[in-house]
Amino acid sequence: MPSHAPHPAPTTPHTESPSPSPGNPLTAPGPHPDAHPQDPDPLQREKAHLAASRSALRAMREDAEALNIADVTANWVNAEVLQGEIDARIKSLADLAHTPLFFGRLDYLHAPGLDLAEGAPGENFYIGRRHVHDADGDPMVIDWRAPVSQPFYRASKKDPMDLRLRRRFGYTAGELTAYEDEHLTDPAEAERTSRLLQSEIERPRVGPMRDIVATIQPEQDEIVRAGIGGSVCVQGAPGTGKTAVGLHRVAYLLYAHRERLARAGTLVIGPNRSFLHYIEQVLPALGELEVKQATVDDLVGHVEVRGTDEAAAATVKGDARMAQVLRRAVRSHVTMPQEPCVVVRGSRRWRVPAHELEEIVRELRDRDIRYGAAREALPQRIAHAVLVRMEQAGEAPDDRVQDAVARNAAVKATVKAVWPPVDPAKLVLRLLGDAEFLAEQAAGILTPEEQQTILWARPARGVKSAKWSAADAVLIDEAMDLVARTHSLGHVVLDEAQDLSPMQYRAVGRRCTTGSATVLGDIAQGTTPWATGTWEEALTHLGKPGSVVEELTQGFRVPREVIAYASRLLPAIAPDLTEATSIRESAGDFAIRAVAPEELTAATLAACDDALAKEGSIGLIAAEARIPELRAALAAVGVTCLAPGEETSAEARLTLVPATLAKGLEYDYVVLDEPAAIVAGEPDERTGLRRLYVCLTRPVSGLTVVHAAALPEALAGP
């Protein structure tokens, strides 16, 4: 293990500048008076280790590129599979120029009892996004997910976890420019907040979401490193990093359980495509390239969705009781046999009477196995009854005879008559288009009024011509699982989960019946009519009852004044939740501008102009009805606006965001246009206030609220 352990450095940050600069919290005076005379410039030593580590990473990549598999594969299939793995390895070894290779260093008092390498007292470890080793195989950078890295996130003065020193590094445009030390066993050094950590948290956001691997806090790290055996639900207020925690948890599980999850697969589920585009670079930056992303609509996309439901209809279709209706509808196809099954083999006829067939059918039905599995088992059960008769007659049939009998035309005819195949889409089509069939299957489950609510006004002629809604697609997915088991993954991350209906939870739960889940959300941000009431209820629908529910209330993104202002809405939208706090030292830019109605659009553009004069991304968030006017006004003054999820650039930093798509996104500066219109755009006031809460909590550095109509009562006044 190479050791680069200079004498304990100063407790204040060090940069290349030898003199203090009041405007830069990372600039500190010259060398600490206790610095070792033989180590006058620790920063240069750290830079040298960074350069050596980058060189080692390049060598690792070159070794992978030089692999020749011509003589080690038996056939072209094996060659393609192996080459695919090598290509993935090469891609994962890319050195991202503007991404620090390591961000911290741990100096242990004693050699850690971990199987990384034989160590000695005083050994140190550089902590980074991925593992890097030298030509001898000795680690130069340790993966942040390795057990030896854990103290970087959890060690404190009260529990130093055998650390003498924790060093954090500061970077500018990918170059190492500063370091900061914490002497965890020095009683003279008080517990304090790292200024490098604070600076990283408050750094302006430009472009897609980035990882938080250098700033993970102890309460977040506990969730990230939770075992794969159980599911975890994270209730997180805005800015607490719940999405980042979920993504880093995937990365950790892939590190700790690579083979298991490689076989079973992992999936990240987000609320919409814009959100997925926003987060899609986080896992690749951590070296994980194979995690798939999808929306719930993608999962259940068995039919083309061309229609929409009224809120009342969508709420009933999303109710968990629909699973009972569908189950009953699927099982309604089973009928009891009225005729015997007569199998002819050679000169012999073998007869299975109707009452015995009925016993077989009832037994399969009562076993509660899936419809399709039972249908596949039925011919074998009938064939077995025939073989019993053959044996009683003195014959000695074997398994081949049973298989042949199961394929007999008479057996097939019996199966088709009593247990016919079911097409899930056609079943749902009939259920929503046939009032009599719906009434029969929903009797005692849905009220007549609810049945009428979901019944199509005009029955569709066929599956392809039907104007399916998103809720209908979920019903088809449920019916498909009743017929045949849905493939289960090893781990699923479900983000913005508070907006899912019970039936949507069931659809996600089917994808992790044999695996685990990480559920992320905020009850206060539920903006659908069927939004989750409690996480316990949601986890039950997901099929993970009793899972651990963790609450994150310490914010890292939203400025203090902004989160305090938005939290005024909590008593009306989620009275049971704890109000979030923010560790950001910067209060942030915060302004509320009241204008006359005829000045609203001009005032909003003026606020955008003010934001564009600052560094970072700008999100202009407005009600759907206001978007066309604002887009036209921006175009008229020559301002290019992006769509949600598109990457910002020097030429285009302003994104025009409909309030309905703001969830999960973040911008350095947010201009919020007409809050009253955002509230009015929802089916009811509570949902509208929740939507407004989401929009208010999108900024990282500043918020300007522009309004002509009266603000909601909770936000009025000082």
Side-chain angles (χ1 to χ4, degrees):
M1 163 69 71
S3 178
H4 299 268
H7 189 274
T11 57
T12 51
H14 273 244
T15 69
E16 294 192 283
S17 173
S19 59
S21 171
N24 183 357
L26 302 185
T27 302
H32 190 273
D34 293 334
H36 196 284
Q38 294 180 348
D39 189 19
D41 196 348
L43 186 61
Q44 291 304 317
R45 292 189 55 142
E46 302 295 18
K47 285 186 172 185
H49 186 75
L50 176 61
S53 298
R54 289 198 183 280
S55 177
L57 181 60
R58 284 194 299 273
M60 290 170 63
R61 184 182 174 100
E62 289 167 1
D63 287 345
E65 290 172 336
L67 287 173
N68 187 343
I69 62 173
D71 298 326
V72 297
T73 53
N75 53 57
W76 69 269
V77 176
N78 291 343
E80 275 202 15
V81 171
L82 184 55
Q83 188 59 54
E85 293 179 356
I86 293 173
D87 291 343
R89 170 73 172 166
I90 293 170
K91 190 175 181 181
S92 71
L93 290 171
D95 186 3
L96 307 178
H98 295 287
T99 301
L101 193 55
F102 57 78
F103 46 80
R105 197 186 86 188
L106 301 178
D107 290 9
Y108 276 85
L109 289 168
H110 306 93
L114 299 163
D115 297 331
L116 288 171
E118 291 187 10
E123 192 169 28
N124 59 47
F125 298 88
Y126 287 83
I127 311 302
R129 286 169 171 76
R130 61 156 301 110
H131 175 88
V132 178
H133 61 255
D134 62 16
D136 297 324
D138 292 326
M140 300 189 71
V141 180
I142 301 296
D143 195 301
W144 66 276
R145 298 166 288 187
V148 76
S149 303
Q150 189 173 21
F152 182 79
Y153 302 106
R154 298 198 192 180
S156 65
K157 282 283 188 179
K158 292 182 180 179
D159 182 13
M161 300 179 72
D162 202 40
L163 289 188
R164 177 179 64 83
L165 176 143
R166 172 169 54 202
R167 174 170 288 181
R168 298 181 190 274
F169 296 105
Y171 288 81
T172 302
E175 294 296 321
L176 199 164
T177 55
Y179 71 91
E180 180 182 50
D181 287 346
E182 299 170 77
H183 298 88
L184 296 169
T185 56
D186 185 354
E189 184 178 305
E191 192 87 48
R192 58 188 174 77
T193 301
S194 163
R195 286 194 279 171
L196 278 175
L197 177 64
Q198 194 73 37
S199 175
E200 174 63 18
I201 288 173
E202 299 191 12
R203 181 160 59 93
R205 266 68 165 166
V206 177
M209 182 180 181
R210 63 174 185 260
D211 66 73
I212 61 165
V213 67
T215 62
I216 294 173
Q217 297 299 290
E219 66 273 18
Q220 295 175 320
D221 191 61
E222 288 183 12
I223 298 170
V224 168
R225 295 177 191 264
I228 195 173
S231 295
V232 178
C233 176
V234 181
Q235 158 62 41
T240 54
K242 56 184 176 294
T243 296
V245 165
L247 295 175
H248 286 68
R249 176 161 164 70
V250 171
Y252 171 77
L253 292 177
L254 286 167
Y255 174 87
H257 307 279
R258 177 79 57 188
E259 290 187 8
R260 175 176 173 179
L261 291 179
R263 291 192 304 269
T266 53
L267 177 67
V268 174
I269 302 173
N272 52 57
R273 281 282 148 201
S274 296
F275 177 84
L276 292 178
H277 182 71
Y278 176 64
I279 68 170
E280 67 183 357
Q281 293 304 317
V282 174
L283 287 168
L286 299 174
E288 300 301 341
L289 308 172
E290 302 301 323
V291 179
K292 292 181 171 56
Q293 297 182 341
T295 65
V296 174
D297 290 343
D298 293 332
L299 297 183
V300 300
H302 313 297
V303 293
E304 182 183 0
V305 174
R306 297 186 294 126
T308 56
D309 285 315
E310 296 291 335
T315 301
V316 175
K317 290 178 181 179
D319 194 293
R321 292 174 296 162
M322 287 301 300
Q324 301 176 50
V325 175
L326 287 165
R327 175 182 171 79
R328 187 183 287 178
V330 169
R331 295 280 169 168
S332 71
H333 290 76
V334 178
T335 58
M336 291 304 153
Q338 302 299 316
E339 301 290 336
C341 178
V342 180
V343 177
V344 178
R345 282 184 59 82
S347 61
R348 303 292 299 271
R349 291 162 57 89
W350 307 99
R351 183 176 182 274
V352 182
H355 70 84
E356 189 171 341
L357 292 174
E358 183 175 338
E359 288 179 8
I360 295 173
V361 171
R362 288 188 185 279
E363 195 246 335
L364 284 173
R365 188 186 63 182
D366 295 344
R367 281 178 59 194
D368 198 28
I369 59 178
R370 281 174 170 76
Y371 187 92
R375 188 173 189 276
E376 290 177 1
L378 182 56
Q380 289 290 336
R381 297 297 301 275
I382 296 173
H384 177 72
V386 171
L387 259 65
V388 169
R389 283 161 173 75
M390 289 181 176
E391 290 170 348
Q392 290 172 345
E395 296 189 15
D398 56 18
D399 291 344
R400 290 174 297 177
V401 174
Q402 179 167 330
D403 290 340
V405 172
R407 296 193 298 270
N408 183 274
V411 174
K412 288 183 177 180
T414 298
V415 171
K416 184 176 181 180
V418 302
W419 210 295
V422 170
D423 183 304
K426 290 181 179 178
L427 175 74
V428 176
L429 185 73
R430 183 184 176 194
L431 199 64
L432 299 177
D434 185 336
E436 185 176 340
F437 183 64
L438 176 61
E440 181 181 348
Q441 308 310 320
I445 301 175
L446 301 180
T447 66
E449 293 76 18
E450 288 173 325
Q451 295 174 33
Q452 192 60 41
T453 299
I454 65 173
L455 197 65
W456 286 345
R458 183 178 302 170
R461 289 194 297 266
V463 171
K464 292 185 178 180
S465 63
K467 287 190 175 182
W468 299 106
S469 69
D472 297 335
V474 178
L475 298 181
I476 294 172
D477 190 71
E478 178 83 26
M480 291 182 72
D481 188 69
L482 289 167
V483 174
R485 182 183 297 275
T486 304
H487 172 68
S488 177
L489 299 165
H491 192 78
V492 169
V493 174
L494 176 61
D495 205 354
E496 300 296 347
Q498 71 280 344
D499 279 334
L500 267 61
S501 70
M503 291 298 286
Q504 287 176 315
Y505 278 118
R506 290 176 61 87
V508 174
R510 285 191 284 278
R511 271 76 185 177
C512 56
T513 51
T514 58
S516 55
T518 300
V519 181
L520 313 167
D522 180 10
I523 297 293
Q525 296 186 59
T527 51
T528 56
W530 48 84
T532 299
T534 66
W535 288 121
E536 289 73 16
E537 177 186 345
L539 289 166
T540 298
H541 293 312
L542 191 69
K544 307 293 182 184
S547 297
V548 174
V549 179
E550 302 281 359
E551 186 172 10
L552 297 177
T553 59
Q554 189 176 61
F556 306 95
R557 174 175 55 78
V558 185
R560 289 201 311 270
E561 287 190 12
V562 173
I563 194 63
Y565 182 70
S567 294
R568 294 187 191 181
L569 296 172
L570 285 179
I573 62 176
D576 296 332
L577 293 185
T578 304
E579 182 176 331
T581 58
S582 178
I583 69 168
R584 291 175 63 93
E585 293 181 351
S586 169
D589 296 334
F590 178 52
I592 300 174
R593 300 179 184 176
V595 298
E598 64 274 12
E599 299 172 352
L600 178 61
T601 298
T604 296
L605 263 62
C608 292
D609 194 52
D610 293 343
L612 285 166
K614 304 168 185 175
E615 179 187 0
S617 57
I618 298 93
L620 170 54
I621 304 178
E624 194 83 42
R626 292 272 300 151
I627 293 295
E629 181 178 340
L630 291 171
R631 181 180 287 110
L634 289 167
V637 295
V639 175
T640 301
C641 62
L642 304 170
E646 290 186 340
E647 189 168 348
T648 57
S649 64
E651 294 75 27
R653 293 189 292 125
L654 187 145
T655 304
L656 181 57
V657 187
T660 52
L661 295 181
K663 192 170 296 179
L665 305 179
E666 63 180 25
Y667 302 93
D668 284 297
Y669 295 92
V670 166
V671 176
L672 186 62
D673 174 88
E674 196 60 283
I678 293 173
V679 176
E682 300 297 328
D684 57 77
E685 184 182 25
R686 188 183 189 193
T687 304
L689 291 175
R690 285 185 168 186
R691 182 75 70 188
L692 179 58
Y693 178 78
V694 171
C695 297
L696 287 168
T697 53
R698 299 306 94 201
V700 172
S701 299
L703 169 69
T704 301
V705 179
V706 183
H707 70 100
L711 292 171
E713 184 178 352
L715 300 181

